[in-house]
Amino acid sequence: MASEEELFASIDILLKEEPQLPPPAERARLREAAGITQARLAEALKLKSTQSIKNWENGRSDPTGARLAAYQRLLKGWAAKYPAPGTLAATPAPPAPPQPEVPETVTGPAAPEPQEVTATPVQAPAAPERPATRPASTSRRPAAKKAAAPPPDPRFPHGPLAVLDADGTAYGVNGIALDCSATTIVELVEWTLKESGLGAPKLHRYGKDSDPLIVLTAAAAAKFGLPECLEDRRGLRLAEDHPVVKQVLKAKWELTQRGFGPWARIYRKTQGRDRQCVQLAILPWDALDSRSWPGVSEAEMEPADIARVLGIYAQRVITPRGSTAVSGLELMTALRPPTRPVRDEETGNWVSGHNAGSLGTEPVAPAPPEARPEHPVVVSSGWEGGFVNEEAYQWVRDVDLLTGQEAALPFAVGLDLNTAFLAAAARLMVGLSEPEHFVRPKFYPKVPGSWLVDLSHIELDPRLPSPFTPDGTRPAGPAWYQTHTVAYAQELGYNVEILEAYLRRETGAYLDPWHDRLKTAYVETLADLGVTKDLPDAEFLAAMEVHKQVDPAMAAVLAAIKGTVKGGIGKLFEGPQGKGYRDGEEWPAMKRSTWAPWIRNAVISKARVNMHRKLLNMAKMMGMFPLAVLSDCVVYPSPSQSPLDFLPYAESGKPIPGAFRLGPTPGLAKLEGVQDMAWAVDLMEQGYNPARHIKGDGHDAVLDDGE
């Protein structure tokens, strides 16, 4: 006979399975009871029309992402104020017990870690005993406006992370400081789990809570017996016989296959569903790369400021689990967990099942043209049919195609698209299952896949890059392309005859929640820096010119968000590392279920097509042609130093859709830099790309292809 605890756990699962929203008729009743029109609700939820509201209220569709959360919150508020006839106003219910977690799928660069699950107690767990607190120490920088934080989870009263200094002060979010008496790494792990109150709730109902993160300053690392720097510069980990590693293992704790490095995960296999795991980040070992976290170092920030930067990133994006690239990949899985509880029809028990719309728990082999030349699929099959080459633009116009009128203009102005890859990820349908091979199929522009087609017959204006190759040259013959590239050829009015294709039957907008969360984080962080969506274009340019000086901490958060986008996409196609690798061997990254080069192809293809469409519209509207393009940066000859003098505007003063538009949201443009036209022409004559150097601050642009 089942125990009371087992029965309660089963009931808890049923409770979690209840619909996320009330029935459609109840949604309409609540809105009408509040006296709100569909048009007003659509405006509040930033919808373009009332049709979505109508669909939600007649059951045709439901909101997703950020709108789902906002709509849920609104309906709950209305339900409390306007209970259904014959019912009493609901009283606040106690927090529901956490849902049983399914086996963990590791998405970092290491091989899969041991499966770990969480507990489902009968009652909601009490918050850990609150340690003594004291005000955080004064920062070298003046205090700045704090970012708005979500309501704290009662299980994690002190936020997601803390930065620990040698004096035992652990600086957390919102200025809190905790007393930590640990003198060894083992004691630190136990204090973190039992006393700190650190951690973060899961981002999806089928996901898992984020492990607490402890960041060690150089002095704290030395206090715990860690060296000032790692001798193993290739493996980036302590030797297995190091005293700290031996101490951890002796206490029955374990390390992941990444070992004890800049981002060390220490965990313990436990009985039942209890989960014990702590993430460490070691600052003196360059855990925070200056490219993704500019200015976030002990030389430039106090521990309390570092905690503020990482805390805001954790609240808006995810608790860091490694580099921003690793965190970008982790965020995909956190928002699209691979599994969910399902009922076994034969036994009636709840088991782990596939969560529709996710990439699952097992890696999917790519089609040969989607793989790398060294991939086992390619080597074992002897594939010689070519590869998909969807990469970002690196194009410079032939200097002989410059007109005298263009060369006489005084300036070269660079425009950069905000997080172009993130904009491309919006509503992007991608394949989620095994590829299937087809010979001479009909082309369907809405079916994601890889297509072999000859686009060499398409002749476009040579003053524009070809949309079909990364270097902008005309294709030489048949080649493999992702769906968006082929669809764009069709959009331009050309016939496409497919020779072969690899398509997937299961598809979905896998990156949609990832896009929504990162877009919100990006826009909110820019707003904290004084760059808001309501600024006129001239004021937007002025605000962007000084935004990094408004608050260096928030500027670092912004840089980390951008690194999360670029690195997360890059991780989808991560290659082998190390001198000992041989072609045809498996490597750790390809063993992840999130190793999905076809998804990266789709993002970059769409981003490049989006760029070309804007270039073409600029030529049609303004008669302007670019000098060079590098990924999401384009350089135009200009009569002045301001893009306001050559971007298309209607007589009303509003930007004309279709071309480049200024603004702070993903896909809109900002000023990248200005140089003399003679400077740009000189670089073009030497074969260099002016878009790479247009900033003029000694920091050349790099391709957004991830890490």
Side-chain angles (χ1 to χ4, degrees):
M1 182 175 180
S3 67
E4 181 183 84
E5 182 176 352
E6 292 172 331
L7 291 174
F8 276 30
S10 296
I11 293 300
D12 291 337
I13 293 176
L14 293 179
L15 290 173
K16 283 293 181 181
E17 287 296 314
E18 66 183 4
Q20 292 183 300
L21 293 169
E26 177 65 5
R27 305 172 198 176
R29 186 194 71 79
L30 289 171
R31 177 183 55 76
E32 291 169 355
I36 302 299
T37 64
Q38 289 181 333
R40 186 176 174 191
L41 179 55
E43 181 181 2
L45 292 173
K46 308 300 182 185
L47 294 165
K48 294 182 179 179
S49 72
T50 61
Q51 187 58 50
S52 292
I53 303 298
K54 293 177 181 178
N55 291 341
W56 300 348
E57 293 184 354
N58 61 27
R60 291 178 183 170
S61 67
D62 285 335
T64 60
R67 285 199 179 96
L68 173 60
Y71 195 44
Q72 284 175 318
R73 180 176 180 182
L74 179 64
L75 293 177
K76 287 179 181 178
W78 282 344
K81 294 175 65 176
Y82 312 108
T87 63
L88 297 176
T91 56
Q99 181 184 342
E101 258 182 41
V102 292
E104 175 184 0
T105 301
V106 176
T107 57
E113 298 167 5
Q115 294 182 343
E116 302 164 347
V117 290
T118 21
T120 306
V122 175
Q123 297 179 341
E129 183 178 350
R130 187 184 183 95
T133 64
R134 62 176 184 267
S137 63
T138 303
S139 166
R140 295 190 186 100
R141 301 189 184 280
K145 182 181 70 174
K146 293 180 181 177
D153 188 301
R155 297 171 299 151
F156 311 115
H158 299 138
L161 56 87
V163 178
L164 183 62
D165 211 350
D167 65 355
T169 304
Y171 299 91
V173 298
N174 300 325
I176 196 171
L178 312 175
D179 287 323
C180 175
S181 59
T183 58
T184 67
I185 290 294
V186 170
E187 289 179 359
L188 175 61
V189 170
E190 293 175 348
W191 173 84
T192 303
L193 293 172
K194 296 177 182 178
E195 301 180 48
S196 71
L198 296 174
K202 56 193 176 186
L203 299 179
H204 188 280
R205 63 187 303 204
Y206 298 138
K208 61 176 184 177
D209 296 332
S210 291
D211 300 318
L213 168 64
I214 299 293
V215 181
L216 299 182
T217 65
K223 171 185 174 181
F224 290 118
L226 299 175
E228 184 177 350
C229 61
L230 288 172
E231 295 182 4
D232 181 3
R233 300 309 301 168
R234 180 173 296 277
L236 290 178
R237 65 183 67 191
L238 288 179
E240 294 183 0
D241 61 352
H242 189 279
V244 170
V245 175
K246 294 167 72 174
Q247 169 200 120
V248 169
L249 300 180
K250 183 178 180 180
K252 306 301 181 183
W253 291 96
E254 298 185 47
L255 296 166
T256 65
Q257 292 191 20
R258 285 186 291 178
F260 202 118
W263 289 90
R265 295 191 70 222
I266 302 176
Y267 69 96
R268 177 178 285 167
K269 297 177 182 178
T270 57
Q271 297 297 320
R273 295 186 174 93
D274 290 333
R275 181 176 179 195
Q276 299 184 47
C277 184
V278 174
Q279 177 83 56
L280 299 181
I282 319 298
L283 289 181
W285 296 355
D286 298 324
L288 300 179
D289 190 316
S290 60
R291 293 170 298 178
S292 298
W293 300 96
V296 187
S297 68
E298 292 187 77
E300 298 173 89
M301 285 189 179
E302 293 284 356
D305 291 327
I306 296 175
R308 175 179 174 240
V309 171
L310 297 179
I312 293 172
Y313 177 87
Q315 290 165 349
R316 294 183 177 179
V317 182
I318 193 173
T319 304
R321 287 280 301 271
S323 68
T324 50
V326 170
S327 297
L329 203 63
E330 290 286 342
L331 182 63
M332 293 180 196
T333 303
L335 295 169
R336 291 281 197 192
T339 57
R340 68 181 183 91
V342 296
R343 183 181 291 278
D344 187 317
E345 296 298 333
E346 294 183 1
T347 65
N349 295 330
W350 288 93
V351 296
S352 176
H354 175 62
N355 184 27
S358 76
L359 287 173
T361 58
E362 297 298 325
V364 173
E370 297 167 343
R372 308 178 73 98
E374 62 270 27
H375 194 283
V377 165
V378 175
V379 176
S380 63
S381 66
W383 174 262
E384 295 182 350
F387 299 93
V388 177
N389 186 28
E390 299 288 11
E391 299 294 341
Y393 266 135
Q394 292 190 74
W395 173 82
V396 180
R397 198 206 306 184
D398 186 339
V399 72
D400 293 335
L401 296 177
L402 283 178
T403 66
Q405 184 178 6
E406 288 176 319
L409 291 172
F411 299 104
V413 175
L415 293 176
D416 180 76
L417 296 181
N418 301 318
T419 55
F421 287 177
L422 185 61
R427 298 178 296 282
L428 177 68
M429 296 298 290
V430 298
L432 301 174
S433 56
E434 297 278 351
E436 297 183 35
H437 184 236
F438 297 87
V439 177
R440 295 196 174 276
K442 180 180 178 181
F443 176 67
Y444 295 94
K446 293 188 178 181
V447 174
S450 301
W451 313 79
L452 180 63
V453 59
D454 189 350
L455 301 178
S456 62
H457 63 286
I458 300 178
E459 185 173 359
L460 301 174
D461 193 311
R463 292 173 294 177
L464 293 175
S466 166
F468 310 125
T469 60
D471 63 3
T473 59
R474 186 172 172 176
W480 288 95
Y481 301 97
Q482 199 276 334
T483 297
H484 286 87
T485 304
V486 184
Y488 189 56
Q490 212 174 51
E491 178 184 324
L492 292 174
Y494 294 92
N495 182 43
V496 293
E497 294 186 5
I498 306 301
L499 304 176
E500 295 180 58
Y502 283 92
L503 311 176
R504 290 170 166 80
R505 295 187 183 275
E506 184 183 347
T507 63
Y510 174 71
L511 293 174
D512 250 13
W514 186 81
H515 162 271
D516 292 348
R517 186 167 178 85
L518 285 169
K519 176 183 177 181
T520 299
Y522 181 82
V523 172
E524 286 183 352
T525 306
L526 262 181
D528 287 336
L529 292 167
V531 186
T532 57
K533 292 188 286 187
D534 59 348
L535 291 177
D537 284 357
E539 294 181 26
F540 165 74
L541 291 173
M544 285 299 297
E545 189 172 350
V546 298
H547 77 283
K548 292 182 181 180
Q549 287 74 51
V550 171
D551 183 349
M554 293 304 299
V557 175
L558 186 69
I561 293 170
K562 292 190 286 188
T564 303
V565 173
K566 295 187 293 186
I569 296 300
K571 280 285 183 182
L572 294 169
F573 198 27
E574 185 178 5
Q577 301 177 12
K579 290 184 177 180
Y581 177 78
R582 297 291 181 270
D583 288 355
E585 296 177 347
E586 293 186 337
W587 63 89
M590 63 167 283
K591 297 178 183 179
R592 299 188 306 246
S593 64
T594 49
W595 195 81
W598 58 92
I599 296 181
R600 177 182 178 272
N601 291 341
V603 172
I604 297 180
S605 168
K606 186 178 175 183
R608 198 179 66 244
V609 164
N610 287 347
M611 171 64 84
H612 191 275
R613 190 179 287 112
K614 289 179 171 61
L615 297 173
L616 186 59
N617 286 336
M618 282 288 290
K620 292 177 179 177
M621 295 177 188
M622 307 299 292
M624 295 194 63
F625 294 87
L627 302 176
V629 183
L630 182 74
S631 187
D632 49 11
C633 177
V634 56
V635 177
Y636 277 105
S638 173
S640 75
Q641 299 187 52
S642 174
L644 297 175
D645 290 332
F646 64 80
L647 290 178
Y649 290 89
E651 291 184 4
S652 64
K654 292 184 178 181
I656 299 178
F660 293 100
R661 295 176 56 189
L662 299 176
T665 55
L668 298 187
K670 60 181 180 293
L671 180 65
E672 179 75 353
V674 181
Q675 298 292 335
D676 292 337
M677 184 64 179
W679 168 91
V681 173
D682 183 54
L683 285 182
M684 295 167 69
E685 290 176 337
Q686 298 180 60
Y688 296 121
N689 192 323
R692 185 181 297 277
H693 312 282
I694 193 70
K695 283 186 177 181
D697 57 2
H699 298 287
D700 292 343
V702 295
L703 277 178
D704 292 347
D705 57 356
E707 298 186 6

